[in-house]
Amino acid sequence: MSLFWRIFLLNAAVLVAAVLLLLGPVTVSTPVLLVEALVIGVGLVVMLVANAVLLRIGLAPLARLTRAMTSADLLRPGSRAAVAGPGEMAELITTYNTMLERLEAERATSSALALSAQEAERQRIAQELHDEVGQTLTAVLLHLKRTADQVPEPLREELRQVQETTRGGLDEIRRIARRLRPGVLEELGLHSALRALSAEFTAPGLTVRHHISPGLPELDDKQELVVYRVAQESLTNTARHAGARSVDLRLEPGPGGAVDLVVRDDGAGLGGAPEGSGIQGMRERALLIDAGLTLGPSADGGTEVRLRVPATEGSTV
């Protein structure tokens, strides 16, 4: 039965009940007596309540669908509205679920293309920084050294300072290039890359400890890159915003042969702040490999980021 006929019949039942009351033994005097007014008032209230209850029952599936549509998030896939109700109501909910599945698939495809293009652009920029800017500054350093050896002593000290400034700029460019293109990940693997990442973010006031469990299931190249980028973004957020003194970075086995990346700090926590582009980027990367990403408070009052990666078939390392 369609929604139109359901609502029509519900209202028709209420109206029929009202007509039966009018045709019954109840009469109304002129002027209206108090008892008669009470009877009419009670009858009106009963009809209104019955109509409201019947409409609530009939439209309940629409209310559930509305709540599901309000809470839907393409970065947290898998949530579906429960198919309930007769006829066209169930068909509407099924159509919505199908549409949501299509949107999630399209979002995953577009995110994969965008992130692949982003990684390619990062690699190109890192290569240019290393080959062009890095080599140019290296040549400047060598030229400054030769010049400093030939100039009088008063100018030599100034040239030494220029050398140190140039060397500091060269080191910073190399750090930027390493962050853009994790060469250690390609050359030495995920474990060494995470150790290097922990050492890179360790600074005065912030200690990054790492622990990598032995015998973990092997991950493919795309999974390793996602794990590395999520760890990098988590540590970046901690260093910039958390005000933490220590961070634990762990790579450990998860349930069902999965691999868990856990980054836990003792900082200020997430609070009620909305998710920024960094966290959204981590969620998009997690979707590329069907991984689960959760963010919440840690035992120390800070933030815990957990990435659960389903392991591919293969040997352990």
Side-chain angles (χ1 to χ4, degrees):
M1 185 182 298
S2 67
L3 181 62
F4 167 78
W5 285 109
R6 286 171 59 84
I7 295 177
F8 173 78
L9 291 177
L10 291 175
N11 285 281
V14 174
L15 293 176
V16 168
V19 171
L20 291 177
L21 288 176
L22 292 176
L23 296 177
V26 179
T27 59
V28 179
S29 304
T30 304
V32 179
L33 300 177
L34 178 60
V35 175
E36 296 172 342
L38 289 176
V39 171
I40 294 175
V42 170
L44 178 61
V45 170
V46 170
M47 286 189 296
L48 291 176
V49 170
N51 191 39
V53 170
L54 293 175
L55 285 176
R56 172 74 68 177
I57 295 173
L59 298 178
L62 277 182
R64 290 194 295 269
L65 178 60
T66 301
R67 289 193 296 270
M69 295 174 69
T70 303
S71 61
D73 187 351
L74 296 182
L75 292 178
R76 298 176 176 86
S79 176
R80 297 290 183 269
V83 179
E88 63 186 16
M89 190 74 70
E91 183 179 354
L92 175 63
I93 298 175
T94 302
T95 302
Y96 166 75
N97 289 338
T98 303
M99 180 195 68
L100 194 59
E101 291 176 0
R102 186 176 67 252
L103 289 176
E104 289 176 355
E106 292 175 354
R107 174 63 182 267
T109 302
S110 61
S111 296
L113 294 175
L115 291 174
S116 297
Q118 184 185 80
E119 288 296 335
E121 186 67 9
R122 285 184 176 211
Q123 184 171 352
R124 184 189 66 80
I125 295 174
Q127 193 70 32
E128 289 186 1
L129 286 175
H130 181 271
D131 294 344
E132 302 295 334
V133 182
Q135 292 183 9
T136 300
L137 288 180
T138 301
V140 169
L141 277 175
L142 294 175
H143 186 68
L144 286 173
K145 184 178 184 303
R146 288 195 301 268
T147 304
D149 293 337
Q150 298 172 6
V151 299
E153 186 62 34
L155 293 176
R156 186 174 300 172
E157 184 60 29
E158 294 184 14
L159 286 177
R160 299 293 186 195
Q161 294 178 1
V162 175
Q163 273 186 282
E164 292 303 317
T165 302
T166 306
R167 184 175 288 107
L170 180 60
D171 292 340
E172 182 62 26
I173 287 175
R174 287 172 176 168
R175 281 194 293 270
I176 293 174
R178 285 196 301 269
R179 291 185 182 182
L180 288 173
R181 179 173 178 265
V184 66
L185 179 62
E186 300 175 359
E187 298 166 4
L188 301 178
L190 178 61
H191 297 183
S192 297
L194 292 179
R195 294 187 183 98
L197 195 64
S198 300
E200 180 181 345
F201 278 90
T202 296
L206 179 63
T207 302
V208 181
R209 298 182 295 268
H210 64 270
H211 175 76
I212 299 175
S213 300
L216 291 173
E218 186 176 2
L219 304 178
D220 60 30
D221 293 342
K222 183 182 294 186
Q223 289 174 322
E224 287 189 349
L225 181 59
V226 170
V227 170
Y228 179 85
R229 289 301 189 197
V230 170
Q232 185 182 47
E233 183 64 33
S234 300
L235 291 176
T236 300
N237 289 339
T238 298
R240 289 180 179 176
H241 310 298
R245 293 174 297 176
S246 64
V247 185
D248 286 331
L249 188 152
R250 307 179 68 86
L251 194 66
E252 56 192 20
V259 176
D260 283 1
L261 170 73
V262 183
V263 182
R264 185 184 299 115
D265 65 58
D266 61 353
L270 292 173
E275 294 187 357
S277 58
I279 295 178
Q280 292 179 359
M282 289 194 291
R283 293 195 183 281
E284 289 180 348
R285 290 184 181 277
L287 290 178
L288 294 180
I289 57 173
D290 295 326
L293 180 74
T294 57
L295 291 88
S298 67
D300 298 328
T303 303
E304 178 181 292
V305 178
R306 181 179 295 271
L307 178 73
R308 178 156 293 168
V309 183
T312 58
E313 295 182 2
S315 60
T316 58
V317 293

